[in-house]
């Protein structure tokens, strides 16, 4: 089997999340913290919290402490625009971030790292910028509040206070440090080596004077992201105090599995590993039926006798992400594991859930005009 490996650019093999928490030095998101979320917001926890999709954190309690005292925070997340359309794995952090924005009523910045994709994927600059704009339409379709959301591409927003912070941050990180955190080699281009500064600095409110000028310039940042991005923000937290900044807090998710199972996370470069937000109902049905790895028995008799292994069954894992009804999910899990429900029946439920979700996304995205994109990407004050 493939040796597991997790870094910001690649996930290989079966991921042991408990080991990853230990390796990265973050904290497990305990039940009591989820209950505290509910107390502070007065709203039920998002299914991603209840079901362990977001499972690790750094300093989340500190953010909730401050919020209870009337001190708001801001959210920061991002997307590396390397493909025309997003797959369902890309939607997970945005769906959760939208929920956080709604329940806490806080501002949000979303970074599109079009520059990163030129450095790592060799994309042409104009193509990276085009993809950033296309991806922005899918991000907006998740339902963000335009009065509280600033979406920016690095190529467009670079300069001013953002670049001054990048310069201060870069000065604090040696080549040896960057190599130790990210594993760079002699062949790595010099843009890659310094890129961590660009991803770090949106975690500092002074990067956005049009939003946080004056008294809000010390506001703390909370970053929802997948666990593979932790190395960037571990370094950010190390450097922040020397720049007179708060360490950003993080809330981190597991990876959305590929249809083929434990090969790590979905890949936009393999169309059959992913359900894309552009897929037709027919494509969704074909991909789920043909490629989604089952934990069920080899034969009908074996399935009835032994039941399904839910720990490897991809259709059931997808339902834990996207089936909102807790009671129905628990019922399917019990029946399927006991052999009273068959793989085909579980796949049929999943196909219905995904088709409805993707079609809803497509209808919303169709309403996102260039003017709407310009509104989200314009540098302007936000409601705080």
């Amino acid at each position: 089997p493939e040796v597991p490996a997790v870094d910001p650019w690649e996930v290989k093999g079966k991921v042991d999340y408990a080991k990853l928490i230990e390796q990265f030095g973050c904290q497990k998101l305990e039940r009591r913290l989820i209950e505290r979320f509910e107390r502070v917001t007065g709203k039920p926890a998002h299914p991603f919290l209840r079901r362990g999709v977001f499972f690790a954190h750094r300093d989340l309690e500190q953010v909730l402490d401050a919020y209870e005292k009337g001190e708001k925070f801001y959210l920061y997340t991002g997307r590396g625009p390397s493909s025309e359309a997003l797959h369902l794995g890309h939607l997970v952090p945005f769906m959760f971030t939208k929920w956080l924005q709604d329940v806490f009523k806080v501002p949000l910045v979303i970074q599109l790292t079009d520059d990163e994709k030129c450095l790592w994927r060799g994309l042409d600059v104009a193509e990276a910028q085009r993809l950033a704009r296309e991806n922005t339409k899918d991000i907006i379709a998740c339902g963000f509040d335009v009065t509280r959301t600033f979406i920016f591409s690095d190529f467009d927003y670079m300069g001013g206070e953002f670049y001054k912070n990048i310069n201060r941050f870069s000065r604090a990180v040696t080549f040896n440090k960057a190599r130790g955190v990210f594993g760079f080699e002699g062949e790595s281009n010099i843009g890659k080596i310094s890129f961590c500064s660009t991803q770090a600095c949106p975690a500092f409110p002074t990067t956005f004077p049009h939003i946080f000028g004056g008294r809000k310039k010390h506001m703390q940042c909370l970053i929802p992201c997948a666990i593979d991005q932790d190395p960037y923000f571990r370094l950010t937290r190390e450097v922040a105090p020397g720049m007179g900044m708060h360490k950003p807090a993080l809330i981190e998710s597991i990876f959305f599995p590929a249809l083929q199972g434990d090969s790590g996370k979905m890949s936009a470069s393999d169309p059959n590993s992913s359900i894309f937000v552009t897929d037709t109902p027919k494509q969704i049905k074909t991909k789920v039926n043909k490629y989604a790895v089952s934990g069920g028995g080899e034969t009908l008799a074996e399935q009835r006798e032994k039941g399904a292994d839910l720990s490897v069954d991809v259709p059931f894992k997808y339902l834990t992400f996207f089936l909102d009804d807790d009671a129905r999910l628990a019922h399917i899990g019990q029946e399927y594991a006991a052999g009273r429900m068959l793989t085909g029946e579980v796949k049929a439920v999943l196909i219905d859930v995904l088709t409805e979700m993707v079609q809803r996304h497509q209808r919303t995205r169709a309403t996102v005009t260039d003017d709407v994109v310009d509104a989200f990407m314009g540098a302007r004050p936000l409601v705080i």
Side-chain angles (χ1 to χ4, degrees), residues 139-166:
I139 293 167
I140 292 169
C142 292
F144 293 106
D145 177 353
V146 69
T147 68
R148 287 191 166 94
T149 307
F150 174 50
I151 303 175
F152 65 99
S153 96
D154 286 341
F155 279 135
D156 290 340
Y157 189 62
M158 185 62 68
E161 296 306 314
F162 185 20
Y163 187 62
K164 288 176 194 172
N165 275 340
I166 286 171

mmCIF file of all heavy atoms in Angstrom, residues 139-166:
data_model
loop_
_atom_site.group_PDB
_atom_site.id
_atom_site.type_symbol
_atom_site.label_atom_id
_atom_site.label_comp_id
_atom_site.label_asym_id
_atom_site.label_seq_id
_atom_site.Cartn_x
_atom_site.Cartn_y
_atom_site.Cartn_z
ATOM 1 N N ILE A 139 -18.004 29.953 -5.943
ATOM 2 C CA ILE A 139 -17.891 30.314 -4.515
ATOM 3 C C ILE A 139 -19.075 31.191 -4.103
ATOM 4 O O ILE A 139 -19.733 30.948 -3.083
ATOM 5 C CB ILE A 139 -16.538 31.017 -4.241
ATOM 6 C CG1 ILE A 139 -15.381 30.019 -4.428
ATOM 7 C CG2 ILE A 139 -16.511 31.618 -2.845
ATOM 8 C CD1 ILE A 139 -13.996 30.660 -4.485
ATOM 9 N N ILE A 140 -19.374 32.198 -4.930
ATOM 10 C CA ILE A 140 -20.511 33.091 -4.641
ATOM 11 C C ILE A 140 -21.810 32.289 -4.577
ATOM 12 O O ILE A 140 -22.688 32.557 -3.737
ATOM 13 C CB ILE A 140 -20.601 34.207 -5.712
ATOM 14 C CG1 ILE A 140 -19.401 35.164 -5.581
ATOM 15 C CG2 ILE A 140 -21.914 34.979 -5.595
ATOM 16 C CD1 ILE A 140 -19.244 36.129 -6.746
ATOM 17 N N ALA A 141 -21.928 31.265 -5.438
ATOM 18 C CA ALA A 141 -23.144 30.438 -5.487
ATOM 19 C C ALA A 141 -23.380 29.660 -4.192
ATOM 20 O O ALA A 141 -24.471 29.137 -3.977
ATOM 21 C CB ALA A 141 -23.084 29.479 -6.674
ATOM 22 N N CYS A 142 -22.375 29.598 -3.319
ATOM 23 C CA CYS A 142 -22.570 28.951 -2.007
ATOM 24 C C CYS A 142 -23.424 29.805 -1.080
ATOM 25 O O CYS A 142 -23.820 29.347 -0.008
ATOM 26 C CB CYS A 142 -21.221 28.656 -1.349
ATOM 27 S SG CYS A 142 -20.272 27.388 -2.230
ATOM 28 N N GLY A 143 -23.679 31.058 -1.475
ATOM 29 C CA GLY A 143 -24.639 31.864 -0.723
ATOM 30 C C GLY A 143 -24.054 32.902 0.212
ATOM 31 O O GLY A 143 -24.719 33.334 1.161
ATOM 32 N N PHE A 144 -22.820 33.347 -0.035
ATOM 33 C CA PHE A 144 -22.198 34.326 0.868
ATOM 34 C C PHE A 144 -22.900 35.678 0.806
ATOM 35 O O PHE A 144 -23.497 36.050 -0.201
ATOM 36 C CB PHE A 144 -20.708 34.476 0.534
ATOM 37 C CG PHE A 144 -19.912 33.243 0.839
ATOM 38 C CD1 PHE A 144 -19.451 32.421 -0.178
ATOM 39 C CD2 PHE A 144 -19.674 32.871 2.151
ATOM 40 C CE1 PHE A 144 -18.743 31.260 0.106
ATOM 41 C CE2 PHE A 144 -18.967 31.716 2.451
ATOM 42 C CZ PHE A 144 -18.503 30.912 1.418
ATOM 43 N N ASP A 145 -22.786 36.397 1.923
ATOM 44 C CA ASP A 145 -23.405 37.718 2.085
ATOM 45 C C ASP A 145 -22.454 38.769 1.502
ATOM 46 O O ASP A 145 -21.349 38.979 2.021
ATOM 47 C CB ASP A 145 -23.629 37.954 3.597
ATOM 48 C CG ASP A 145 -24.193 39.324 3.911
ATOM 49 O OD1 ASP A 145 -24.298 40.171 3.007
ATOM 50 O OD2 ASP A 145 -24.515 39.556 5.099
ATOM 51 N N VAL A 146 -22.890 39.436 0.420
ATOM 52 C CA VAL A 146 -22.015 40.397 -0.278
ATOM 53 C C VAL A 146 -21.640 41.576 0.624
ATOM 54 O O VAL A 146 -20.578 42.192 0.449
ATOM 55 C CB VAL A 146 -22.667 40.878 -1.599
ATOM 56 C CG1 VAL A 146 -23.879 41.754 -1.326
ATOM 57 C CG2 VAL A 146 -21.654 41.574 -2.503
ATOM 58 N N THR A 147 -22.470 41.882 1.621
ATOM 59 C CA THR A 147 -22.146 43.021 2.499
ATOM 60 C C THR A 147 -21.052 42.662 3.508
ATOM 61 O O THR A 147 -20.497 43.541 4.158
ATOM 62 C CB THR A 147 -23.387 43.509 3.287
ATOM 63 O OG1 THR A 147 -23.781 42.514 4.241
ATOM 64 C CG2 THR A 147 -24.543 43.819 2.352
ATOM 65 N N ARG A 148 -20.772 41.353 3.629
ATOM 66 C CA ARG A 148 -19.763 40.920 4.607
ATOM 67 C C ARG A 148 -18.622 40.118 3.968
ATOM 68 O O ARG A 148 -17.836 39.505 4.685
ATOM 69 C CB ARG A 148 -20.418 40.045 5.683
ATOM 70 C CG ARG A 148 -21.282 40.807 6.672
ATOM 71 C CD ARG A 148 -21.660 39.926 7.856
ATOM 72 N NE ARG A 148 -22.191 40.729 8.957
ATOM 73 C CZ ARG A 148 -23.476 40.960 9.148
ATOM 74 N NH1 ARG A 148 -24.371 40.451 8.322
ATOM 75 N NH2 ARG A 148 -23.890 41.702 10.176
ATOM 76 N N THR A 149 -18.521 40.079 2.635
ATOM 77 C CA THR A 149 -17.566 39.193 1.971
ATOM 78 C C THR A 149 -16.723 39.932 0.941
ATOM 79 O O THR A 149 -17.269 40.610 0.050
ATOM 80 C CB THR A 149 -18.304 38.028 1.254
ATOM 81 O OG1 THR A 149 -19.159 37.375 2.201
ATOM 82 C CG2 THR A 149 -17.316 37.020 0.692
ATOM 83 N N PHE A 150 -15.406 39.805 1.053
ATOM 84 C CA PHE A 150 -14.462 40.342 0.064
ATOM 85 C C PHE A 150 -13.689 39.167 -0.538
ATOM 86 O O PHE A 150 -13.013 38.428 0.178
ATOM 87 C CB PHE A 150 -13.498 41.326 0.737
ATOM 88 C CG PHE A 150 -12.391 41.839 -0.164
ATOM 89 C CD1 PHE A 150 -12.681 42.347 -1.427
ATOM 90 C CD2 PHE A 150 -11.060 41.818 0.252
ATOM 91 C CE1 PHE A 150 -11.664 42.827 -2.255
ATOM 92 C CE2 PHE A 150 -10.043 42.288 -0.566
ATOM 93 C CZ PHE A 150 -10.344 42.807 -1.828
ATOM 94 N N ILE A 151 -13.853 38.975 -1.845
ATOM 95 C CA ILE A 151 -13.118 37.927 -2.564
ATOM 96 C C ILE A 151 -12.033 38.619 -3.382
ATOM 97 O O ILE A 151 -12.324 39.588 -4.100
ATOM 98 C CB ILE A 151 -14.058 37.121 -3.498
ATOM 99 C CG1 ILE A 151 -15.227 36.512 -2.707
ATOM 100 C CG2 ILE A 151 -13.287 36.028 -4.230
ATOM 101 C CD1 ILE A 151 -16.272 35.797 -3.564
ATOM 102 N N PHE A 152 -10.801 38.156 -3.270
ATOM 103 C CA PHE A 152 -9.717 38.817 -4.007
ATOM 104 C C PHE A 152 -8.786 37.793 -4.640
ATOM 105 O O PHE A 152 -8.576 36.701 -4.122
ATOM 106 C CB PHE A 152 -8.920 39.753 -3.087
ATOM 107 C CG PHE A 152 -8.166 39.057 -1.985
ATOM 108 C CD1 PHE A 152 -6.804 38.792 -2.109
ATOM 109 C CD2 PHE A 152 -8.810 38.668 -0.807
ATOM 110 C CE1 PHE A 152 -6.105 38.151 -1.090
ATOM 111 C CE2 PHE A 152 -8.124 38.023 0.211
ATOM 112 C CZ PHE A 152 -6.760 37.763 0.068
ATOM 113 N N SER A 153 -8.241 38.165 -5.799
ATOM 114 C CA SER A 153 -7.198 37.341 -6.411
ATOM 115 C C SER A 153 -5.854 37.986 -6.083
ATOM 116 O O SER A 153 -5.738 39.219 -6.036
ATOM 117 C CB SER A 153 -7.414 37.236 -7.923
ATOM 118 O OG SER A 153 -6.650 38.188 -8.613
ATOM 119 N N ASP A 154 -4.851 37.158 -5.842
ATOM 120 C CA ASP A 154 -3.535 37.694 -5.476
ATOM 121 C C ASP A 154 -2.983 38.614 -6.560
ATOM 122 O O ASP A 154 -2.423 39.673 -6.262
ATOM 123 C CB ASP A 154 -2.550 36.556 -5.203
ATOM 124 C CG ASP A 154 -2.830 35.871 -3.880
ATOM 125 O OD1 ASP A 154 -3.507 36.470 -3.026
ATOM 126 O OD2 ASP A 154 -2.377 34.719 -3.698
ATOM 127 N N PHE A 155 -3.129 38.227 -7.829
ATOM 128 C CA PHE A 155 -2.596 39.064 -8.910
ATOM 129 C C PHE A 155 -3.235 40.451 -8.899
ATOM 130 O O PHE A 155 -2.569 41.454 -9.165
ATOM 131 C CB PHE A 155 -2.831 38.409 -10.274
ATOM 132 C CG PHE A 155 -1.815 37.342 -10.625
ATOM 133 C CD1 PHE A 155 -2.227 36.126 -11.152
ATOM 134 C CD2 PHE A 155 -0.455 37.544 -10.440
ATOM 135 C CE1 PHE A 155 -1.304 35.139 -11.488
ATOM 136 C CE2 PHE A 155 0.477 36.571 -10.755
ATOM 137 C CZ PHE A 155 0.052 35.355 -11.288
ATOM 138 N N ASP A 156 -4.526 40.524 -8.567
ATOM 139 C CA ASP A 156 -5.210 41.816 -8.600
ATOM 140 C C ASP A 156 -4.982 42.643 -7.337
ATOM 141 O O ASP A 156 -4.871 43.862 -7.407
ATOM 142 C CB ASP A 156 -6.732 41.606 -8.773
ATOM 143 C CG ASP A 156 -7.074 41.099 -10.164
ATOM 144 O OD1 ASP A 156 -6.247 41.275 -11.077
ATOM 145 O OD2 ASP A 156 -8.158 40.507 -10.326
ATOM 146 N N TYR A 157 -4.927 41.975 -6.182
ATOM 147 C CA TYR A 157 -4.914 42.716 -4.916
ATOM 148 C C TYR A 157 -3.496 43.002 -4.397
ATOM 149 O O TYR A 157 -3.325 43.806 -3.477
ATOM 150 C CB TYR A 157 -5.732 41.955 -3.859
ATOM 151 C CG TYR A 157 -5.957 42.750 -2.585
ATOM 152 C CD1 TYR A 157 -6.666 43.952 -2.609
ATOM 153 C CD2 TYR A 157 -5.450 42.310 -1.367
ATOM 154 C CE1 TYR A 157 -6.861 44.688 -1.448
ATOM 155 C CE2 TYR A 157 -5.644 43.035 -0.201
ATOM 156 C CZ TYR A 157 -6.349 44.230 -0.252
ATOM 157 O OH TYR A 157 -6.534 44.961 0.890
ATOM 158 N N MET A 158 -2.496 42.352 -4.990
ATOM 159 C CA MET A 158 -1.124 42.526 -4.508
ATOM 160 C C MET A 158 -0.708 44.002 -4.534
ATOM 161 O O MET A 158 -0.983 44.714 -5.489
ATOM 162 C CB MET A 158 -0.164 41.703 -5.384
ATOM 163 C CG MET A 158 1.272 41.699 -4.908
ATOM 164 S SD MET A 158 1.462 40.964 -3.265
ATOM 165 C CE MET A 158 1.065 39.260 -3.592
ATOM 166 N N GLY A 159 -0.027 44.432 -3.457
ATOM 167 C CA GLY A 159 0.413 45.828 -3.363
ATOM 168 C C GLY A 159 -0.065 46.431 -2.050
ATOM 169 O O GLY A 159 -0.698 45.753 -1.237
ATOM 170 N N GLY A 160 0.237 47.684 -1.826
ATOM 171 C CA GLY A 160 -0.254 48.392 -0.647
ATOM 172 C C GLY A 160 0.071 47.686 0.657
ATOM 173 O O GLY A 160 1.172 47.138 0.842
ATOM 174 N N GLU A 161 -0.899 47.658 1.578
ATOM 175 C CA GLU A 161 -0.676 47.079 2.913
ATOM 176 C C GLU A 161 -0.465 45.560 2.846
ATOM 177 O O GLU A 161 0.250 44.999 3.675
ATOM 178 C CB GLU A 161 -1.861 47.394 3.836
ATOM 179 C CG GLU A 161 -2.050 48.881 4.119
ATOM 180 C CD GLU A 161 -0.778 49.540 4.648
ATOM 181 O OE1 GLU A 161 -0.132 48.962 5.556
ATOM 182 O OE2 GLU A 161 -0.424 50.627 4.133
ATOM 183 N N PHE A 162 -1.079 44.900 1.874
ATOM 184 C CA PHE A 162 -0.897 43.458 1.685
ATOM 185 C C PHE A 162 0.586 43.179 1.424
ATOM 186 O O PHE A 162 1.209 42.348 2.094
ATOM 187 C CB PHE A 162 -1.769 43.008 0.502
ATOM 188 C CG PHE A 162 -1.804 41.514 0.241
ATOM 189 C CD1 PHE A 162 -1.456 40.577 1.207
ATOM 190 C CD2 PHE A 162 -2.219 41.040 -1.000
ATOM 191 C CE1 PHE A 162 -1.508 39.207 0.944
ATOM 192 C CE2 PHE A 162 -2.280 39.673 -1.276
ATOM 193 C CZ PHE A 162 -1.922 38.762 -0.305
ATOM 194 N N TYR A 163 1.165 43.914 0.480
ATOM 195 C CA TYR A 163 2.567 43.652 0.147
ATOM 196 C C TYR A 163 3.511 44.069 1.274
ATOM 197 O O TYR A 163 4.537 43.412 1.516
ATOM 198 C CB TYR A 163 2.964 44.331 -1.170
ATOM 199 C CG TYR A 163 4.346 43.919 -1.598
ATOM 200 C CD1 TYR A 163 4.627 42.574 -1.886
ATOM 201 C CD2 TYR A 163 5.392 44.834 -1.666
ATOM 202 C CE1 TYR A 163 5.909 42.166 -2.236
ATOM 203 C CE2 TYR A 163 6.670 44.427 -2.019
ATOM 204 C CZ TYR A 163 6.919 43.102 -2.303
ATOM 205 O OH TYR A 163 8.190 42.697 -2.642
ATOM 206 N N LYS A 164 3.160 45.115 2.000
ATOM 207 C CA LYS A 164 4.007 45.513 3.145
ATOM 208 C C LYS A 164 4.033 44.396 4.193
ATOM 209 O O LYS A 164 5.096 44.087 4.757
ATOM 210 C CB LYS A 164 3.481 46.806 3.774
ATOM 211 C CG LYS A 164 3.714 48.045 2.922
ATOM 212 C CD LYS A 164 3.072 49.265 3.579
ATOM 213 C CE LYS A 164 2.986 50.433 2.589
ATOM 214 N NZ LYS A 164 2.207 51.552 3.150
ATOM 215 N N ASN A 165 2.881 43.787 4.463
ATOM 216 C CA ASN A 165 2.853 42.664 5.408
ATOM 217 C C ASN A 165 3.626 41.461 4.870
ATOM 218 O O ASN A 165 4.323 40.780 5.630
ATOM 219 C CB ASN A 165 1.396 42.265 5.715
ATOM 220 C CG ASN A 165 0.794 43.115 6.827
ATOM 221 O OD1 ASN A 165 1.518 43.735 7.611
ATOM 222 N ND2 ASN A 165 -0.522 43.136 6.907
ATOM 223 N N ILE A 166 3.498 41.207 3.571
ATOM 224 C CA ILE A 166 4.255 40.105 2.956
ATOM 225 C C ILE A 166 5.756 40.335 3.144
ATOM 226 O O ILE A 166 6.514 39.416 3.477
ATOM 227 C CB ILE A 166 3.890 39.978 1.457
ATOM 228 C CG1 ILE A 166 2.489 39.369 1.322
ATOM 229 C CG2 ILE A 166 4.918 39.149 0.688
ATOM 230 C CD1 ILE A 166 1.925 39.392 -0.088
#
